[in-house]
Amino acid sequence: MEKSLDDYDNHLKCLRLKVEEFIGRTVRTPKDFDFLCHVIEDQKLPRVSSTTLKRIWGYIQDGGSPRISTLDILSQLIGFKDWESFCNSEIAAECHEAEIKAQEAYRISRRSWLGIGLTVGVVLTGLLILFIRVHAGEQYRPMVNEQAILKLVQSEKTKTRVLHRGDSFRDEAAVLETFGIYSVDVPWNMRVPGLANVFVTSVTYHHPNWHNEGDSLEMCPQLKTYWTPDSMHLPKVRREAVLYNRFCYFNYSANNEIHLYFLRGIRDERFTFIGIYKFSKQLSNFDYHTYVRIADNCNLDYLSELNKLGGPQKVRK
């Protein structure tokens, strides 16, 4: 069926929105377009130039329409076969319906001072959130000597305790108590009190949903994780899994957290300490996420030093 110009515009607007949701940021500045180019290349999709993306987002207005092949690539980025599949999807239909409702709400608001006030309030709130996000994104942590910190963190000189690779604990509670954690919300991944970037992660080797795979003989120098929920045979569930794993990729890349990993099932039913890990963007992709061991042992007196190795950072060019 031939699509109207309004349908095309609505679908294109929806595609832009879903791409922004997927990469976790709005696309407004030249840096944003460069970032999107890199994301597309990371997924081994055909290259799309920054200039082409600027035209699609209206940053450059030359009156031309994007090629279908380019829209195919953007549709594939968010999990669809091509542009036509995206246009015929439930997501596009929901976007179209939401757009109609938004336009109707806008027409009503023009006839009401209250509606105008609410609209202005929403816009100002959105601008405030955008301002906070932009400035938060401009922060970076100072350069640190990673090797010196790791040497200190693995030092045997301590007033409390050194965790060695292979030490085991009876259960999650015993692991968390070692770090002074007694109030538990998410027992398998808890932040160390007072440290923004250091987490205690207690998970199961070869978990049916999260997997946690690696070389058991070497106690997993690299640990691969990815989410496959129950009922993966259902198309909707498979799509949710794809999108969630892609979200995790961007989230882990941005947060740059340090994890002290305890793995159940690699030896027995106890939780075994396997080392200190960081997320590796180079060894990860949208489908699975790889953590690399950066230290075998952990001196609990120097966790605050370990905290310096984590956290979002801005790379200076």
Side-chain angles (χ1 to χ4, degrees), residues 187-206:
W188 57 88
N189 194 46
M190 291 292 295
R191 180 182 281 110
V192 174
L195 302 180
N197 307 315
V198 182
F199 288 76
V200 180
T201 306
S202 309
V203 293
T204 301
Y205 187 57
H206 283 305

Side-chain angles (χ1 to χ4, degrees), residues 229-275:
D230 298 329
S231 305
M232 274 290 284
H233 62 284
L234 299 176
K236 183 177 181 181
V237 174
R238 283 201 304 273
R239 174 171 171 73
E240 289 175 352
V242 168
L243 293 178
Y244 186 73
N245 281 317
R246 292 183 180 187
F247 166 78
C248 288
Y249 172 83
F250 287 112
N251 188 45
Y252 299 158
S253 298
N255 290 337
N256 192 36
E257 298 164 349
I258 304 296
H259 289 261
L260 286 75
Y261 258 101
F262 297 79
L263 210 55
R264 179 174 61 184
I266 195 167
R267 283 182 169 176
D268 49 35
E269 288 305 301
R270 294 168 66 87
F271 283 88
T272 300
F273 178 63
I274 60 172

Side-chain angles (χ1 to χ4, degrees), residues 113-133:
W113 281 106
L114 177 60
I116 292 174
L118 290 173
T119 302
V120 171
V122 169
V123 170
L124 290 177
T125 302
L127 289 174
L128 177 60
I129 293 173
L130 181 59
F131 176 85
I132 293 171
R133 286 181 176 176

Side-chain angles (χ1 to χ4, degrees), residues 29-37 41 47-57 59-60:
T29 68
K31 287 185 178 180
D32 295 330
F33 292 108
D34 291 340
F35 176 76
L36 180 53
C37 285
E41 291 176 5
R47 184 179 179 277
V48 179
S49 71
S50 177
T51 301
T52 298
L53 294 173
K54 289 175 182 177
R55 289 193 178 98
I56 294 175
W57 261 261
Y59 189 85
I60 296 176

Side-chain angles (χ1 to χ4, degrees), residues 62-294:
D62 58 6
S65 298
R67 295 178 180 178
I68 297 299
S69 59
T70 303
L71 300 180
D72 285 341
I73 294 169
L74 292 175
S75 300
Q76 291 163 11
L77 179 66
I78 59 174
F80 289 91
K81 179 182 177 182
D82 50 31
W83 167 243
E84 183 177 0
S85 298
F86 173 77
C87 292
N88 294 328
S89 69
E90 292 182 4
I91 288 179
E94 290 171 358
C95 281
H96 182 60
E97 183 178 349
E99 178 68 16
I100 293 174
K101 291 180 178 179
Q103 291 175 359
E104 180 63 23
Y106 177 73
R107 284 193 291 269
I108 294 173
S109 69
R110 287 173 63 88
R111 297 191 295 266
S112 168
W113 281 106
L114 177 60
I116 292 174
L118 290 173
T119 302
V120 171
V122 169
V123 170
L124 290 177
T125 302
L127 289 174
L128 177 60
I129 293 173
L130 181 59
F131 176 85
I132 293 171
R133 286 181 176 176
V134 167
H135 284 267
E138 290 296 313
Q139 295 176 354
Y140 62 91
R141 61 178 175 84
M143 295 297 294
V144 296
N145 188 330
E146 181 169 323
Q147 293 304 316
I149 289 177
L150 291 178
K151 183 177 180 180
L152 183 63
V153 167
Q154 297 187 89
S155 167
E156 293 291 333
K157 296 180 180 180
T158 179
K159 297 178 180 178
T160 53
R161 180 178 180 182
V162 176
L163 287 176
H164 299 91
R165 180 159 60 92
D167 289 352
S168 61
F169 297 77
R170 67 178 184 276
D171 53 28
E172 291 168 325
V175 170
L176 296 175
E177 287 173 6
T178 303
F179 299 90
I181 303 172
Y182 301 97
S183 177
V184 179
D185 297 321
V186 185
W188 57 88
N189 194 46
M190 291 292 295
R191 180 182 281 110
V192 174
L195 302 180
N197 307 315
V198 182
F199 288 76
V200 180
T201 306
S202 309
V203 293
T204 301
Y205 187 57
H206 283 305
H207 189 277
N209 300 117
W210 279 105
H211 300 280
N212 305 314
E213 302 169 351
D215 184 351
S216 60
L217 296 178
E218 298 294 330
M219 285 196 183
C220 304
Q222 296 179 6
L223 194 64
K224 182 189 296 185
T225 73
Y226 54 98
W227 185 56
T228 54
D230 298 329
S231 305
M232 274 290 284
H233 62 284
L234 299 176
K236 183 177 181 181
V237 174
R238 283 201 304 273
R239 174 171 171 73
E240 289 175 352
V242 168
L243 293 178
Y244 186 73
N245 281 317
R246 292 183 180 187
F247 166 78
C248 288
Y249 172 83
F250 287 112
N251 188 45
Y252 299 158
S253 298
N255 290 337
N256 192 36
E257 298 164 349
I258 304 296
H259 289 261
L260 286 75
Y261 258 101
F262 297 79
L263 210 55
R264 179 174 61 184
I266 195 167
R267 283 182 169 176
D268 49 35
E269 288 305 301
R270 294 168 66 87
F271 283 88
T272 300
F273 178 63
I274 60 172
I276 303 171
Y277 287 74
K278 284 185 71 174
F279 177 75
S280 171
K281 186 175 181 180
Q282 291 74 23
L283 298 177
S284 303
N285 57 38
F286 285 172
D287 298 321
Y288 60 83
H289 321 112
T290 301
Y291 286 84
V292 175
R293 185 164 59 220
I294 58 174

